[in-house]
């Protein structure tokens, strides 16, 4: 299994710049299981990565540290394996940049962009925020979201299913638009089965909206699932599309950082529903509690 190339294995950190350590994982392997046609995707979206352990050396040998934000489209044929990205970024720790007036940041951004685009076979946008970055971070969303676990109808709900159970989803007789958020998202790494924690944002417009407590029950049922972050986001999107036939739908997962990296996939029925703050590599968003 290509996904298990590095994940879950004892691996030495490279001591010098090593682009060859990057591993590409085909998206179609998981999409085929849920009937998602990669040549005709039922959504638009992107994958946003925040890497908190980016560092290199200037031409004078002084370390530079920052935060790297990476964004690439959900239509890319591959994703990058997370541990390989961590090892790759750490391989730059002793990389000495050419003389410049920006601490070598432009050179590092160019190198990483080219290396990722090469393995992903897709356009990659990224930006490094240095430790002295002073501009204020934007909120992830400006819309009001109802916190599912605090809604009165959800507080007395019984939860018994912890593997993905789409039949938990119940259709109401209510139409309109709703914005929901939950901080109870938990799934597990596809390879190591280590828990991945996060928050999920759902925007949905439908003539038959989901019953809120059933939606929360379904999200909680992901607790025992073993999937990559991107796969969880697409799975939830497909289930909601199947059950509620929405005219508008957006699902965004903000996962907790692990190994110095967090992964935040978003899928939507139209480009306008994607958070511009999240999908713009040059915009730093405020961190959620889970991050």
């Amino acid at each position: 299994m290509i996904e298990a190339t590095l994940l879950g294995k004892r691996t030495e950190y490279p001591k010098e710049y090593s682009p060859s350590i990057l591993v590409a994982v085909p998206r179609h392997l998981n999409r085929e299981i849920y009937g998602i046609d990669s040549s005709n995707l039922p959504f638009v979206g992107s994958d946003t990565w925040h890497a908190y352990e980016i560092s290199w050396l200037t031409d004078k040998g002084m370390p530079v540290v920052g935060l790297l934000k990476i964004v690439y489209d959900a239509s890319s044929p591959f994703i990058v394996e997370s541990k390989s990205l961590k090892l790759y970024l750490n391989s730059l720790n002793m990389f000495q940049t050419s003389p410049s007036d920006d601490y070598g940041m432009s050179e590092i951004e160019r190198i990483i962009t080219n290396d990722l685009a090469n393995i992903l076979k897709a356009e990659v946008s990224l930006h490094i925020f240095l430790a002295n970055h002073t501009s204020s971070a934007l909120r992830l969303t400006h819309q009001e979201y109802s916190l599912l676990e605090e809604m009165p109808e959800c507080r007395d709900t019984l939860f018994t299913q912890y593997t993905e159970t789409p039949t938990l989803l119940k259709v109401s007789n209510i139409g309109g638009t709703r914005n929901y958020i939950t901080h109870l998202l938990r799934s597990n790494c596809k390879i190591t089965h280590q828990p991945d924690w996060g928050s999920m944002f759902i925007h949905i417009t439908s003539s038959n909206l989901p019953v809120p407590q059933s939606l929360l029950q379904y999200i909680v049922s992901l607790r025992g699932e073993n999937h990559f972050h991107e796969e969880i986001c697409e799975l939830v999107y497909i289930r909601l599309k199947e059950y509620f036939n929405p005219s508008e739908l957006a699902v965004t997962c903000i996962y907790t950082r692990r190994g110095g990296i967090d992964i935040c996939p978003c899928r939507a029925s139209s480009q306008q529903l994607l958070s511009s703050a999240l999908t713009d590599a040059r915009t730093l968003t405020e961190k959620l509690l889970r991050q």
Side-chain angles (χ1 to χ4, degrees), residues 151-179:
M151 295 179 69
E153 57 265 49
C154 292
R155 290 183 177 177
D156 295 325
T157 299
L158 182 65
F159 297 87
T160 60
Q161 300 298 319
Y162 301 107
T163 56
E164 200 250 344
T165 310
T167 54
L168 289 168
L169 293 166
K170 304 302 179 186
V171 179
S172 72
N173 295 318
I174 302 172
T177 297
R178 297 289 187 274
N179 293 314

Side-chain angles (χ1 to χ4, degrees), residues 132-163:
N132 61 359
H133 177 76
T134 56
S135 62
S136 59
L138 295 180
R139 292 182 63 84
L140 180 62
T141 178
H142 56 79
Q143 300 182 31
E144 292 298 323
Y145 280 74
S146 299
L147 183 61
L148 282 168
E149 50 265 36
E150 290 192 354
M151 295 179 69
E153 57 265 49
C154 292
R155 290 183 177 177
D156 295 325
T157 299
L158 182 65
F159 297 87
T160 60
Q161 300 298 319
Y162 301 107
T163 56

Side-chain angles (χ1 to χ4, degrees), residues 53-222:
E53 297 179 1
I54 180 71
S55 181
W56 65 93
L57 304 177
T58 67
D59 62 304
K60 298 186 182 301
M62 182 180 73
V64 185
V65 298
L67 185 159
L68 171 66
K69 183 176 181 179
I70 305 167
V71 181
Y72 56 91
D73 199 88
S75 63
S76 66
F78 300 95
I79 62 174
V80 60
E81 185 195 50
S82 59
K83 186 173 181 179
S84 77
L85 179 64
K86 175 183 173 66
L87 293 171
Y88 163 75
L89 293 178
N90 276 272
S91 81
L92 291 165
N93 288 174
M94 304 306 292
F95 182 86
Q96 199 157 4
T97 54
S98 305
S100 68
D101 58 3
D102 67 350
Y103 299 101
M105 184 173 77
S106 297
E107 182 179 355
I108 294 296
E109 287 180 338
R110 176 185 56 79
I111 290 171
I112 298 174
T113 299
N114 290 341
D115 289 341
L116 287 178
N118 182 53
I119 69 150
L120 295 173
K121 309 302 179 189
E123 183 178 343
V124 175
S125 59
L126 58 81
H127 183 69
I128 296 172
F129 299 87
L130 298 181
N132 61 359
H133 177 76
T134 56
S135 62
S136 59
L138 295 180
R139 292 182 63 84
L140 180 62
T141 178
H142 56 79
Q143 300 182 31
E144 292 298 323
Y145 280 74
S146 299
L147 183 61
L148 282 168
E149 50 265 36
E150 290 192 354
M151 295 179 69
E153 57 265 49
C154 292
R155 290 183 177 177
D156 295 325
T157 299
L158 182 65
F159 297 87
T160 60
Q161 300 298 319
Y162 301 107
T163 56
E164 200 250 344
T165 310
T167 54
L168 289 168
L169 293 166
K170 304 302 179 186
V171 179
S172 72
N173 295 318
I174 302 172
T177 297
R178 297 289 187 274
N179 293 314
Y180 295 116
I181 182 176
T182 177
H183 300 304
L184 303 186
L185 175 62
R186 198 203 91 154
S187 54
N188 305 289
C189 174
K190 190 173 189 175
I191 306 304
T192 66
H193 295 183
Q194 291 180 319
D196 292 319
W197 302 90
S199 301
M200 180 178 289
F201 293 80
I202 296 172
H203 167 88
I204 184 168
T205 300
S206 174
S207 57
N208 292 289
L209 290 164
V211 175
Q213 52 266 54
S214 78
L215 180 58
L216 187 58
Q217 285 176 315
Y218 171 69
I219 294 170
V220 168
S221 81
L222 301 170

Side-chain angles (χ1 to χ4, degrees), residues 16-75:
E16 57 185 28
Y17 169 54
S18 304
S20 62
I21 204 167
L22 288 168
V23 175
V25 178
R27 291 189 190 268
H28 74 86
L29 296 177
N30 189 76
R31 285 176 172 172
E32 290 172 354
I33 299 173
Y34 298 104
I36 301 174
D37 182 359
S38 293
S39 64
N40 185 28
L41 291 174
F43 47 68
V44 295
S46 63
D47 296 334
T48 299
W49 299 55
H50 298 94
Y52 301 87
E53 297 179 1
I54 180 71
S55 181
W56 65 93
L57 304 177
T58 67
D59 62 304
K60 298 186 182 301
M62 182 180 73
V64 185
V65 298
L67 185 159
L68 171 66
K69 183 176 181 179
I70 305 167
V71 181
Y72 56 91
D73 199 88
S75 63

